[in-house]
Structures are given as structure tokens and as C-alpha cells.
Amino acid sequence: MKAMKKIVQVSVAASLMLLAATAVWLWKPMPEAPSFQELSEGSQHFRAEILRDVWGVPHIVGLRNSDTSFGLAYAHAEDDFETIQETVAATRGVLARYRGRVAAPTDYMVQLMDVWGTVSRHYEGVPADIKEIAEAYAAGINLYAAENPESTWLGLPPFTAEDVVAGFVFKTPFFYGLDKPLLNLFDESTQLELALAPTSTTSAWTVSNQASPELGSNALAVSAKRSTDNSTRLLINSHQPMTGPVAWYEAHLHAQTGWKIQGGVFPGTPVILHGFTENLGWANTVNHIDLTDEYLLTLNPENSNQYLLDGKWYDFESKEVTLLVKLWSNFRFPAKRTVLRSQHGPVIKVNGKAYALRYAGMDEIGQLEQYARLNQATNLAEFMQAMSLQQLPSINYVYADKESNIGFIHNAQYPDRLEGWDWSKGLPGDRSDLIWQGYRSFSQVPKLMNPSSGLVFNANNTPFSATDGDDNLRPENFPQSMGLARNQTNRSWRFIELNDGVTPLSEAEILKQKFDVEYSERSDYLLTLNKVMVQNWSDSDLLLEAQSLIKAWNRQANIENRHTAIAISVLRELHANKDKDDRSPQVLRAATERAAAYLTQNYGRLDPLWGEVNRLQRGDFNQPVSGGPDALRAIYSLGYKPDEKAYATAGDTWMALIAWDQNGKQDAKVLHQFGSATLDMESPHYSDQAELFVTEQWRNASFDIDQIRSSASRNYVIGNPKLVD
């Protein structure tokens, strides 16, 4: 008995020692926060006046561009400091320290993309004025952190100019969908289809007949000659998440010796990403271009750390990284990972195979510079000069100015690929001639300037459908290796159907088109629903009722419609499938069953009013909103659960409609889906624009600083008061 007791005591003691050792190993508290003096020191080099208008929108006034960048950072931090910090933590690859296991893949991605290696290699070459903008922005965040230590994440400050630059390095490739090939390569079931060597019968284009329902953006420009009142107009209508790190925040920058511009920014960006000046403006839409290439590597059977290239074995570049993953309190698990690279790019090993990825924007650091030059442009020539920097890996530009120039630029860093290969497929990794170096020149970028009809548009569709005239770009003038898409979205079909190439457009007609809620018979949505309607579901009264409602639908997503909910719910369920393009009878039936169950469980019927389902929610605000996924009035409800009612999470967000009359006088209207106070539920600006948004009304925008100052609801100066304007 005594022996047994002794064994138990030893066992308990050993367990406690092991537990203590584990606790010591996992105990990783954050460093002490820098002092107020340390964090606020950089603010002494800048001065900004912040004017908050009646909607809480910040108008930043400074002497230099850097002063406005400083003020923008501080103002944005007042409204959304949490998301700015989350953005910086993600960019540094340390988000899992704060968010736990769910954020570990993001941290690994930063390492895989070599974000900080890129910054280390190239930051010295960033122009001095661009560094100053980044430094000023970091100083603005640091000043806010110094004044609000209780809201500041331990271990994150001080924020640096390198953080700002690295944010662009990390995020911009994801706007053309870099995440998709990356996630595909991590999938253990991946079977990479390799392209065959070129033949004379290689197809010039690969056209998808069954594209998935499309998230995206709208943009429209109309020249004076196409307008009913001789005005040039630009519609800016990006579709983004309504909250989070890529949700629009509205700001106006007024540097007395530099740029004067207003528009949208994301947390962590010191420049307007798309917007307008007194002279010009541009809208961005996502483009679908093949800008990534996956290579199947041949591993050395005697040394798995080597790959074959041109008949020789090469060692992988290998780096061990440690991801600190928060468990609870100050306990963090050190997850060790190996990051590999080949001459192609980052390498992923799955199931004994090795894949390399090469992508547009890899090892590039000039994104902030190009955005800054666009902000500074005063005319078409300067705008095109900024575009020619080609530091932004993708994103369409629809342009207009007070001289009545309009244009469409299918912007991208187009890889300078070897012709003849089908680059839409995987590639053999043992040939160095397939590892492209550099990009095609700006002169080769597809662009359509001042078309004959006086109208350009884009709704994430093919670049060969950018105007309603007869001078569209033509596929045969561009090589296959550029990876240009041939898709149409419902929104592009509607632009095509609503315009005829000649009829003059008034402002009212442009707004009517922007808020259009119809689905084209030619859209993938309707082609899919046509398949649903012809299924034989005679064994289910519920499915027959669903089919009947879909057949009776007038293809409108207005709030009074009782047929819209089941149609769009079916499409949402199909889009939620892993294989989004599967339209087999089994998949169609399962999606319709889930849609019917969802509606009956949450709304008590298959045919609730669309306004009961499609709603804008923000705090106490909860009202119906018209529109739907891939409608020109774009409203998406993503991420809802089967047992909860849907609400709008993405789509139309910050929008602008800018006009210049024949004398160059500007009229600008803008609108945000919620308001400027992103996270402060107690602020009157948390949801003060939501009513305007659902009723499709606009606010007037102005560049008149004296008028803005005189009517400001709040006016304050930050930084060094001894610096004078």
C-alpha cells in the first residue's frame, strides 16, 4: 500500500513538473508598450487639420502630402483602430498571436510570399517622397496609439513605414485571386493538369460555359457627346465587404502644396485607392486574368530537398519559421514550419509532390508609389504616366475627366510568357524557359480610350466588351499567353441590354441603370435556374412548389417580389458548393432542398417578400433593400447560417457619381452604406447613411475647404502646432 502511494505521489509530482515545464514553454507574454513619448515622437514632424463634416467624414488639410497622410491615419484610427491593427498584424505575419489558430494560415502565407524579404531587398529603392508618406501615416497611427493605450494591442507598436509598404506587397495580389491557386495547391486531392508542349492546333482561348455567380464591381463613364446635357460623368461603384480589412472608408485629402482628392481607402492605406479630384476620377473593378502559374516539380528521388531544372538538381531555398499561436491569455504555442522556394517562386509540398507558384506582383514593392502618382495626376497624360509604372498587379480602371476624356484600361502586370503553351494549365517545372521574367510593356496593356459611342463600362466582364459601340477591343489582337477572359456577368449583360450605342444618357438614366435589379436571360444565373426548372421532382410537393415559384419569377430583385427569395436562395446554395460549377441533377436537387428548408425554417414560407430576406442591418437599423447578387444594384448576403436570417454583408458600399459640365464645373455625389464611424456603435455616424443607402439617395461632395470648415461639426489639429500651413 505504501509503495502504491509512493508511486502515485511520484506520478503526480512528475505530471506537475511536466505541466509546469509546458507552461513555461508556452508562456510568451507581449513586450511592454512603448512610452507615450516614444510613440508620439514622430508626430512632431507633421501637422494636420481634421475637419469632420455633418456626416462625420474626415477632410484632412495639411501643407504637404505627408501631412494629409498623417492626418488620414489618425482620423481613420479614431473610427477603426481595431481593424488597422489587425491589418498590420496580418501583414507582419503575427496575427495568430492575437487571434489564435484561425489566423495561423494568414501568418504562414506572409512567410510563403516572402513579404518581408521583398521589403528588405527593395525598400531602400522606394522614392523619398513615398517613404515620407508612409512614415507620416505610421506617425499618425502611433500618435493615436500613444493617446489610447487601452485600445492598443500589446507587442504591435510602434508602427512603421515598412508596415505600410508591406501591406501593399501582401494584399494587392489577392485582388486578382491569388488565394485560389494557393488553396488549390494545399488541397491534398489536387491533381494538376499539365499543359502539353505547343502544337499548331493549340486553341487561342479557353471559354468557360458555366462560370460561377460573380462577386465584383461596376464602373461606367459617359462623355459629353453621349450626355443629354453635355456633361461628362463617372460612376464609381466598387463591390466590397461592408465591414473588415477591405471595407471602404471615405476621406478627403487636401494638401496645399500637393494632392487634392477624395474617395475610398482601406485600413492601413495612406492614399486614395479610387476616387476623384477636381479634374479627373477613376473607378476600379476586379479583372479576371490568368496571372498565376503552377509548376509540378520533379523531386530528386535520393534527396527530396532538390528539384530538377534543365537537367540539373538544385537545392530548395529553405527557411524555418515559428508561428506563435495564441492559446489563452499569454500562452502561445510555437508552431514551427518550413518555407521552401525554388527559382519559380514559393513551393508547396503535398502528398509527396512539390508544386511551385509564380504570380504577378511577386517581389514587387512599388504599389504605394503608383497609387501616390495616381493621386497626384491632374490630367489624362499624368494619369497615363502613373499607370505606365505598372506596379499594380491587376485591377481595371475606368477613367473620366473634365476635358471629356473617358477610357477603360484592363490593367495588369502581364507575365512575359513563352508563346504557344496553354498557360491556363499546370506547367512542367523542369524547364527554365517556362519561368517567365518580367512583364509586358504598358503599350501592350488592353485599353480603350474615347470610344466612338462615348461610353465605357466594366462589371468584371471580358475586356472585349467595354463599350456599346463598334470599336471594342478584339481577341485576335492579343496573344493567348496574356490570359484574358471571355466571361460576361449578369451586370455586364444588363449594361449591354440597357444601352444601344447612340441614345444620349441623362444623370437620371445613369442612376436608373446603377440601381437596376433585373437578371438577364443570358446570365449564368438564369441559365442555371433554367436547369432547375426542367428537373423532374414529381416526388416532392415542396420542390414542385419551389419550381413553380422560380418559373413565375419576373427576374426582378425588388423588395415587394415574392418569387425572388427562392430563386436567389437556390443560387446561393449552389455557390456554396466546393465545386461551384457542378450543375448535375443531384447537386441541383440538394441545393433546392436546402434553399427551401432555409426559407421555411427562417421565414415560415417559400415565398417571403424579398424585402423580408434582403436587409441592411447596422446596430438598431434594419430595413429592406432592393437588389441582389450580381445585380447592378449589388447586394450579397454571405456567411449566414442555416438557422439564422440573412443580411447584407457585401456589394454596393462607398459609391460616387461625378459630373463635369461643358465648362469644367464639377458636381459630385457620394454615398456610404453605413457611415464613417466604423466600430463606434455609440457614434451618430455609425449608421447615419444607411437610410440614404436603402432609399437610393446621395450626399453632395465638395472640394471647397472654406465651406467645409465653416460647416464642420468638429475641427481639430493634430501633430506639431509649431508647424504652420
Side-chain angles (χ1 to χ4, degrees), residues 438-450:
Y439 306 102
R440 290 179 176 271
S441 69
F442 185 62
S443 64
Q444 297 174 288
V445 171
K447 51 184 91 68
L448 180 64
M449 306 303 297
N450 294 319

Side-chain angles (χ1 to χ4, degrees), residues 516-535:
D516 178 75
V517 297
E518 187 167 326
Y519 289 87
S520 170
E521 290 182 340
R522 294 181 282 184
S523 69
D524 292 319
Y525 271 41
L526 264 294
L527 294 176
T528 296
L529 290 175
N530 287 340
K531 293 180 180 180
V532 171
M533 288 186 281
V534 299
Q535 299 299 308

Side-chain angles (χ1 to χ4, degrees), residues 44 63 115 139 195 204 216 283 298 336 392 420 471 521 583 607 643 661:
Q44 296 306 300
L63 177 64
V115 170
T298 301
K336 295 187 180 298
L392 301 177
D471 48 358
E521 290 182 340
R583 299 294 182 264
D607 62 344
D643 59 348
D661 68 17

Side-chain angles (χ1 to χ4, degrees), residues 219-402:
L220 180 75
V222 178
S223 69
K225 71 176 183 179
R226 185 70 184 274
S227 174
T228 57
D229 59 359
N230 295 316
S231 293
T232 302
R233 289 188 170 85
L234 172 68
L235 172 68
I236 304 174
N237 183 202
S238 170
H239 301 157
Q240 292 295 124
M242 292 186 174
T243 58
V246 287
W248 288 119
Y249 179 77
E250 181 184 353
H252 171 197
L253 308 181
H254 181 97
Q256 297 178 34
T257 60
W259 57 43
K260 297 174 178 61
I261 186 170
Q262 52 189 296
V265 302
F266 294 149
T269 58
V271 290
I272 299 298
L273 300 182
H274 75 170
F276 57 99
T277 71
E278 292 178 286
N279 300 322
L280 58 83
W282 68 91
N284 290 136
T285 66
V286 172
N287 47 24
H288 299 291
I289 305 168
D290 180 11
L291 299 175
T292 63
D293 291 306
E294 300 90 42
Y295 302 82
L296 177 61
L297 302 181
T298 301
L299 295 176
N300 187 341
E302 298 180 0
N303 183 354
S304 62
N305 291 319
Q306 291 184 329
Y307 63 98
L308 186 66
L309 188 63
D310 295 337
K312 298 180 181 180
W313 296 111
Y314 289 86
D315 292 332
F316 288 113
E317 293 180 31
S318 180
K319 180 174 67 172
E320 294 293 327
V321 299
T322 300
L323 311 178
L324 290 179
V325 182
K326 182 177 181 179
L327 300 175
W328 66 90
S329 183
N330 285 320
F331 293 94
R332 291 170 176 82
F333 179 79
K336 295 187 180 298
R337 294 292 183 269
T338 300
V339 176
L340 300 177
R341 296 184 72 84
S342 68
Q343 294 184 38
H344 313 74
V347 172
I348 298 164
K349 284 188 174 182
V350 180
N351 283 345
K353 294 183 179 180
Y355 304 98
L357 183 68
R358 196 165 186 80
Y359 59 91
M362 187 170 71
D363 202 41
E364 300 282 346
I365 200 175
Q367 302 91 343
L368 175 57
E369 179 187 1
Q370 181 162 347
Y371 275 122
R373 303 305 179 220
L374 289 170
N375 279 222
Q376 295 166 326
T378 62
N379 54 44
L380 176 58
E382 292 177 0
F383 182 85
M384 296 301 282
Q385 184 177 6
M387 289 301 303
S388 70
L389 291 175
Q390 287 190 281
Q391 290 297 305
L392 301 177
S394 71
I395 300 295
N396 294 315
Y397 281 76
V398 171
Y399 171 92
D401 65 30
K402 70 177 184 180

